[in-house]
Every structure is written in C-alpha cells, then in structure tokens.
Amino acid sequence: MLDGDLAVSSLTRLHDALTESSGTLIYHVEGDVGCDGRSQLSLAIGGSLSLCCQRCLEALDYPLDLHSLLEFVDDEHDLTQEELEDDSRDFLPNQKELDVVELIEDEILLALPTVPRHDSCRLPAGSDAASGKVSPFSVLAATRRQA
Ligand SMILES: [Zn+2]
C-alpha cells in the first residue's frame, strides 16, 4: 500500500493539456492478488487539474477522481476475449520495475476529455475570424440557427 502526493508540475506529459501546472494530486496504490492468481494494483487518484477550455480558451477546473484496477499478465496473448472486453480492469504486461508515477500519468492521460469545454461559455469575441480557424461545431451550430 502506498499513499502519496504528486506535484502536477512533475507530470510533464500532461502539461500540453494544462493552463497551469501548479497544485498537487493525491494518490493511493494498493497491491493485491486476483482470484486467478495474477497481481493486481488498484490505483486511486484525486485532485484537480486546470485544463484549457477548447471553446473560450479560458482555464477549466477539472476534478480528478479516478479509480483503476490494473492486472499484470505474463503474456497479453494469454488473455481471453472475455477478459479483453472487461472494462472494469486494465491489463499490463508484467514488468520487473514498476514506475508508479508513470502509471498514474498514463491513467490521467486516458481519463482526460479530448475536447475539454465548459458546460456553457462563449467563444472569445472575434477569435474565429482572427485565427482563420473554424471549428466544425460552430459551423454546425450556425447551420442549425439558419434552418
Ligand atoms: Zn469555456
């Protein structure tokens, strides 16, 4: 069992998605052995990240409350179809040394929304025209308004 906290600034692979890298996350890792004799690791991660809203480009507070169950296998080819389709756990190849921070970073990356957005916010005035970029969503919304 392992409890600790992690500075967001140390999770460098997350930085592209963040508006700021201050703050800390807390984690809890617990090892166990599953009913089929495989090592398992349950991972809990909590805290909050400051993502960049893809609509208004302002900071978006994203609360993290992740719980993952990882199971270690000697050979991923041993897994049955049923196990592969089981969403309640993830499988990882057995490895001699486990980098917990890297695992935590992986889990967070998987959990982050690909297009983080506030529930309701506005595009910054003139930004689309200024950048020359138009999001497919805004085009769709405009089409709907005309219809
Ligand atoms: Zn926004």
Side-chain angles (χ1 to χ4, degrees), residues 6 10-11 13 27 98-106:
L6 269 178
S10 69
L11 302 172
R13 282 188 292 152
Y27 65 89
L98 193 64
D99 188 333
V100 173
V101 173
E102 198 168 315
L103 265 184
I104 290 172
E105 203 170 21
D106 282 341

Side-chain angles (χ1 to χ4, degrees), residues 52-60 116-124:
C52 179
C53 171
Q54 297 302 297
R55 189 157 44 196
C56 67
L57 306 178
E58 298 288 325
L60 167 66
R117 280 190 293 184
H118 294 112
D119 286 339
S120 80
C121 63
R122 288 172 190 280
L123 287 167

Side-chain angles (χ1 to χ4, degrees), residues 2 8 35 37-38 48 57 59 63-64 90 97 100 103 106 116 122 125 137:
L2 188 64
V8 174
C35 52
R38 294 182 187 138
S48 139
L57 306 178
L64 264 187
D90 288 320
E97 282 179 40
V100 173
L103 265 184
D106 282 341
R122 288 172 190 280
F137 297 106

Side-chain angles (χ1 to χ4, degrees), residues 31-53:
D32 204 352
V33 178
C35 52
D36 40 15
R38 294 182 187 138
S39 316
Q40 290 182 332
L41 205 61
S42 65
L43 198 63
I45 308 159
S48 139
L49 293 174
S50 184
L51 302 182
C52 179
C53 171

